[in-house]
Amino acid sequence: MVRILMIVIMETPATGEQVLEVEAWIRKAGLEVHRSDGADRTILGLVGDISRIDKSRISMMPGVREIIKVSSPYKLASREFRQEDTVVYAGDVPIGGKEVILIAGPCAVESEAQIDSAASFVASAGARILRGGAYKPRTSPYSFQGLGEEGLRLLRNAADTYNLSVVTEVMSPDQVEIVAKHADVLQVGARNMQNFNLLTLLGETNKPVLLKRGPSATIEDMLMSAEYVLSAGNPNVILCERGIRTFETATRNTLDLSAVPVIEHLSHLPVIVDPSHGVGKREYVAPMARAAVAVGADGVMVEVHPEPCEALCDGSQSLTFDQFATLANRCRIIGTTLGRKVAKGASQ
Ligand code: PEP
Ligand code: MN
């Protein structure tokens, strides 16, 4: 069985009826259709066994401009399928538009006081989204594994109090329902980037998915993982560069900032950068966050803790409040210089 190999590009303009007729014809031939309405034209992605359809028959239909074979192994994630940048809404926060979104919070939710204090500060400094893990993928089974459902509730309450959206990790298929109940964005961690059952299940939800790059994944691997979510029916995927394993040991990972322009070229999906996991040491986080904004990232996600030295998880890469405020100000200056926007917090 051959899966999506073709896209049908409609004329500019094609009428709504013409598009519907082509869609109906393709469905009747036993294929699924993914429709992308761009600013100036509509593109239809064909999913299924394309050997069953007569290409010349479609090309003769009114309103059809061109039928092309998509050369990349990912289809719905490709720029060929959609020319315009996709904007994904995390609650009411748009990711992938003009604004560069700051996402901040602790590695893990530890207590009500900790998450409330972090949320209050990051909101006042310009963050729009609160992060914090309730289910933590830890290298050691003896490390703190997260507060689970109670952590999700604390995270949601803190975010609501300070008008922030919520992103948090979902580690396994059985957690999808409960995490989706509390979060605006479901994070797939680096270690799970190729958990295909999880990706397919997330594709069946209507919540945006933040897909982190696996430590040994190529950019193409990451786009193929995004394709799992998209092809299962969920168009809202945000990609996240968070560092890859290399021979370098001075930093926790090697933050591959070249992934940002490469992904921008290959895909219409928004891309953000997580310099905290990328470098693993708090003193290097701010310079790489600034570089991420300079290179064109749609958002920056950093770990911030009221008392980094007391953190139960990733304390050495967590920023203090003051460090986050400085980072936010500098990212704002760089973003503004490049014609983008970075929200001001109440304290700015
Ligand atoms: C995290 O964001 O806390 C996390 C575990 O990240 P990653 O999956 O990139 O290691
Ligand atoms: Mn972490």
Side-chain angles (χ1 to χ4, degrees):
M1 160 99 134
V2 188
R3 307 281 303 174
I4 330 176
L5 275 175
M6 279 182 4
I7 57 175
V8 176
I9 302 176
M10 301 299 292
E11 288 288 3
T12 314
T15 65
E17 277 113 72
Q18 288 172 336
V19 179
L20 288 177
E21 249 173 61
V22 178
E23 278 190 66
W25 193 89
I26 296 167
R27 287 211 175 89
K28 219 167 137 200
L31 279 81
E32 272 174 50
V33 186
H34 286 256
R35 176 171 171 164
S36 160
D37 288 311
D40 62 349
R41 62 185 180 176
T42 294
I43 296 180
L44 303 174
L46 276 51
V47 187
D49 184 357
I50 61 151
S51 62
R52 288 205 273 159
I53 57 162
D54 178 359
K55 202 176 143 191
S56 60
R57 174 73 183 80
I58 301 179
S59 61
M60 284 182 319
M61 295 181 82
V64 172
R65 184 205 289 174
E66 210 184 343
I67 302 179
I68 56 172
K69 231 173 134 177
V70 181
S71 49
S72 59
Y74 42 88
K75 315 291 175 192
L76 304 174
S78 72
R79 272 273 177 216
E80 286 158 297
F81 178 61
R82 193 179 151 83
Q83 262 94 53
E84 291 83 5
D85 292 338
T86 287
V87 176
V88 175
Y89 280 85
D92 60 356
V93 179
I95 304 181
K98 188 170 180 212
E99 186 176 343
V100 180
I101 305 298
L102 298 180
I103 305 169
C107 180
V109 181
E110 298 169 7
S111 68
E112 186 173 357
Q114 174 242 21
I115 194 66
D116 184 86
S117 152
S120 163
F121 188 83
V122 301
S124 76
R128 309 272 325 263
I129 303 178
L130 182 65
R131 63 147 290 145
Y135 299 99
K136 294 305 306 176
R138 304 304 301 275
T139 302
S140 165
Y142 308 117
S143 302
F144 175 58
Q145 306 284 314
L147 295 180
E149 202 175 331
E150 174 62 4
L152 293 175
R153 270 193 292 271
L154 297 176
L155 184 67
R156 183 78 256 174
N157 282 343
D160 287 347
T161 307
Y162 303 101
N163 196 25
L164 296 163
S165 292
V166 163
V167 59
T168 192
E169 179 160 353
V170 52
M171 280 174 58
S172 60
D174 58 296
Q175 292 166 359
V176 169
E177 199 179 328
I178 186 73
V179 177
K181 186 173 151 207
H182 295 281
D184 298 300
V185 179
L186 310 180
Q187 176 173 323
V188 175
R191 295 156 188 82
N192 257 326
M193 192 203 80
Q194 289 188 314
N195 182 337
F196 301 119
N197 290 338
L198 179 61
L199 296 173
T200 302
L201 197 60
L202 292 171
E204 290 162 10
T205 71
N206 58 1
K207 285 277 163 95
V209 174
L210 174 62
L211 182 64
K212 298 191 93 178
R213 181 176 181 181
S216 311
T218 63
I219 292 169
E220 184 171 301
D221 292 337
M222 176 158 54
L223 290 167
M224 291 307 295
S225 289
E227 192 77 10
Y228 267 88
V229 181
L230 301 172
S231 64
N234 185 347
N236 299 307
V237 177
I238 305 150
L239 302 169
C240 179
E241 165 58 42
R242 48 75 75 199
I244 49 175
R245 279 266 165 107
T246 68
F247 51 80
E248 183 55 73
T249 54
T251 47
R252 181 175 175 183
N253 290 289
T254 296
L255 189 65
D256 178 16
L257 286 180
S258 57
V260 176
V262 172
I263 291 168
E264 204 181 310
H265 175 71
L266 296 174
S267 176
H268 54 89
L269 296 172
V271 54
I272 70 163
V273 171
D274 169 356
S276 302
H277 293 85
V279 298
K281 289 183 187 157
R282 84 172 63 84
E283 57 268 40
Y284 307 139
V285 171
M288 297 312 279
R290 301 197 299 264
V293 176
V295 85
D298 296 306
V300 173
M301 177 156 88
V302 290
E303 290 183 339
V304 178
H305 195 285
E307 287 175 280
C309 297
E310 304 297 319
L312 296 181
C313 185
D314 283 348
S316 57
Q317 68 192 32
S318 298
L319 302 174
T320 63
F321 287 171
D322 281 354
Q323 286 172 328
F324 177 67
T326 307
L327 176 153
N329 280 331
R330 293 188 175 162
C331 285
R332 196 167 299 119
I333 293 167
I334 294 167
T336 311
T337 307
L338 295 173
R340 298 193 74 172
K341 204 185 127 194
V342 181
K344 278 189 185 166
S347 67
Q348 306 303 308

